[in-house]
Amino acid sequence: MRRVLATMTCLAAMITIGGCSGGSTPQSPRSDVVAPSSGEPTTPAATTADPPTAFDAAAGVPLPTTSFSTNIGGNVTAKFLTLRDRTAYIVAPTGLTAVDVLTGKQQWAAPIEGKPGDPNNQSGPFVNTTGPQPPVVTGKLAVAAVPVKVPEQGTTPAYIALTVLAADATTGKKVWQTDTKVSTDEYADASNAVTKVVGVTDKAVIAGYDKDEERITVALDQATGNTLWTRKDYRGGTIHGDTLAGVDYSKGLQSGYTSQITALDVTTGREKWVAAKDSYSLDVVSADPALVVIDQKAEIEQNVHGGRFLVFLDPATGAEKTRLVGDYGSAASSYGDCFYDQQSVLICSALGVLTGYDAATARKLWSLPDKTANRVAPGVLLAWHGVLYGTTQGGKPIALDAKTGKDLPAEIGVEPIWVSKYAAIGVSDDGRTPMAYPVKK
């Protein structure tokens, strides 16, 4: 198995899959029989566990190569997949597909109307960390965002659009598609653009386009796809009830290179509050909706870049609740890497130290390395429903209790990049093929 590269983005953009009430102790396995569609044979029973702590490495099922991109070492550099239960939802420049990860069979495909703005993003031998971000999937909808190039019509020049597709999550039937003009430059190029669905609420779908200095965020009616509002020079981050927190580049001071966090009303786009003014760089971290978590590189003086911080804000007011200090006064690109278990724990690394925090309060829960206990910090792959999945210094896959940081006894068998109660998705031994491994326990 290969080790996945940890990144701050991931997760930035999708909503939380429904959490479970269980703690970090593995539950007893059980078998579910998935009802077949008309005329099809019964789907074999599947072992499930929430959270799972072991996977069958000998029963891997190949998945479409468009699920993610890897480098020559087999490390994942870009993700295009969202795993929900036993279905993988995969976005490509031309549309959205759903695949049963236990069988490898495609369930449906929803094409996007229009010419891809970056058709070769998920192909070729070169490392690429851009492209469409994983779709957001709810109980009803699967929603993806890609760039589309709208051709010229008469004297109207061609332009790049941010295209958002909403499909029925079960059948793949298209619910709506909305195109938002991004650039009126006839020479506009969407190659290496980042497009993402920030989140889906019962009222709105928030999506964004980001390339170089060209950024736009759009809010669309969840039922119809009609545009509610658009905002340029803004990158949506996380949704907290009716509040969207994002990075605002339109408020630059002095040199024009600073940014701030601006909170907007999800349905109206009205500004609610601002925070982290005059920051040299900012990222919004995917975490519990109870807190806005930002990775900040602050300017302490004009043209002098300060340290890296992980800052926890009140989503209602923007008031700072906790500030964690990372690498200070260096060229570090971020505070560290953070992993939200989609339930109650946020796990972050900084300066070689891995720390677990209560995701709703920012209270410290545990930290590694622990010299007294002769324990070192593992490499982290992901966290899900109370379990931290990682690797030892020798490259062996391991699982930790996300709330306590203690080792779990199970031999997990594979290095997962995604996990559900049905399966883990990782990379084949040759570092090229996406593979799904069914849950053992």
Side-chain angles (χ1 to χ4, degrees):
M1 292 296 129
R2 304 286 179 171
R3 180 171 299 175
V4 62
L5 293 182
T7 63
M8 288 298 294
T9 57
C10 90
L11 316 174
M14 66 179 68
I15 62 172
T16 300
I17 296 175
C20 299
S21 59
S24 54
T25 302
Q27 299 176 357
S28 299
R30 61 185 177 86
S31 294
D32 289 347
V33 177
V34 178
S37 58
S38 177
E40 293 184 359
T42 301
T43 302
T47 299
T48 63
D50 189 355
T53 55
F55 307 93
D56 191 346
V61 175
L63 298 179
T65 56
T66 52
S67 299
F68 52 70
S69 296
T70 59
N71 61 18
I72 194 171
N75 298 312
V76 174
T77 57
K79 303 176 183 179
F80 309 112
L81 177 154
T82 293
L83 177 62
R84 184 180 174 93
D85 292 335
R86 61 182 290 168
T87 302
Y89 298 85
I90 306 168
V91 61
T94 56
L96 186 61
T97 57
V99 176
D100 185 322
V101 298
L102 297 186
T103 64
K105 294 181 179 179
Q106 181 174 294
Q107 296 176 326
W108 53 257
I112 289 176
E113 297 178 12
K115 182 179 180 181
D118 190 5
N120 301 315
N121 182 271
Q122 290 165 243
S123 62
F126 303 107
V127 173
N128 195 341
T129 59
T130 61
Q133 300 298 290
V136 169
V137 184
T138 71
K140 295 181 179 180
L141 296 177
V143 189
V146 300
V148 164
K149 187 167 185 178
V150 179
E152 62 181 6
Q153 297 182 4
T155 57
T156 302
Y159 62 90
I160 298 298
L162 166 64
T163 295
V164 181
L165 170 71
D168 184 285
T170 302
T171 66
K173 181 180 179 180
K174 182 183 290 187
V175 179
W176 49 260
Q177 175 178 322
T178 300
D179 301 330
T180 302
K181 183 182 291 187
V182 173
S183 175
T184 57
D185 184 351
E186 61 180 309
Y187 301 107
D189 179 10
S191 61
N192 298 320
V194 175
T195 52
K196 68 175 182 178
V197 177
V198 177
V200 178
T201 74
D202 59 350
K203 295 181 180 180
V205 172
I206 308 296
Y209 177 100
D210 192 339
K211 180 186 177 182
D212 301 327
E213 301 301 316
E214 198 163 44
R215 306 178 182 93
I216 189 171
T217 294
V218 59
L220 308 171
D221 183 274
Q222 188 253 36
T224 65
N226 293 337
T227 301
L228 300 175
W229 55 265
T230 60
R231 188 175 179 116
K232 293 184 177 181
D233 299 320
Y234 184 86
R235 187 175 71 229
T238 51
I239 295 176
H240 309 261
D242 61 357
T243 299
L244 168 67
V247 182
D248 191 348
Y249 298 91
S250 66
K251 306 293 185 180
L253 304 177
Q254 284 99 15
S255 64
Y257 292 108
T258 58
S259 56
Q260 68 181 30
I261 297 295
T262 298
L264 307 176
D265 184 279
V266 168
T267 54
T268 67
R270 177 181 59 84
E271 289 191 15
K272 289 189 168 185
W273 51 261
V274 298
K277 294 181 179 180
D278 303 330
S279 296
Y280 179 66
S281 67
L282 287 168
D283 282 304
V284 182
V285 178
S286 178
D288 192 285
L291 293 170
V292 176
V293 184
I294 60 173
D295 188 336
Q296 177 191 29
K297 189 168 187 178
E299 282 199 342
I300 54 177
E301 295 177 4
Q302 186 177 0
N303 298 323
V304 178
H305 304 152
R308 298 294 330 202
F309 307 97
L310 194 69
V311 187
F312 298 79
L313 306 175
D314 184 331
T317 65
E320 185 175 310
K321 290 194 168 185
T322 305
R323 174 176 291 263
L324 306 176
V325 180
D327 198 358
Y328 198 84
S330 77
S333 60
S334 70
Y335 170 86
D337 299 312
C338 290
F339 306 83
Y340 177 45
D341 78 341
Q342 310 297 315
Q343 197 170 68
S344 64
V345 182
L346 182 68
I347 300 161
C348 298
S349 65
L351 301 175
V353 177
L354 190 66
T355 307
Y357 301 96
D358 184 295
T361 66
R363 178 176 61 88
K364 180 179 176 180
L365 301 175
W366 54 268
S367 186
L368 289 174
D370 183 344
K371 292 183 178 180
T372 303
N374 191 30
R375 299 183 66 213
V376 297
V380 181
L381 299 168
L382 81 157
W384 193 74
H385 287 199
V387 172
L388 172 67
Y389 302 90
T391 55
T392 65
Q393 291 184 342
K396 180 181 178 181
I398 58 171
L400 279 66
D401 185 310
K403 289 185 178 180
T404 66
K406 294 181 178 180
D407 293 347
L408 295 177
E411 296 284 340
I412 66 173
V414 303
E415 293 184 15
I417 304 169
W418 291 267
V419 166
S420 76
K421 65 181 181 180
Y422 285 92
I425 296 178
V427 187
S428 61
D429 288 335
D430 64 8
R432 298 178 181 177
T433 306
M435 300 288 291
Y437 301 95
V439 166
K440 290 178 67 175
K441 64 178 181 180

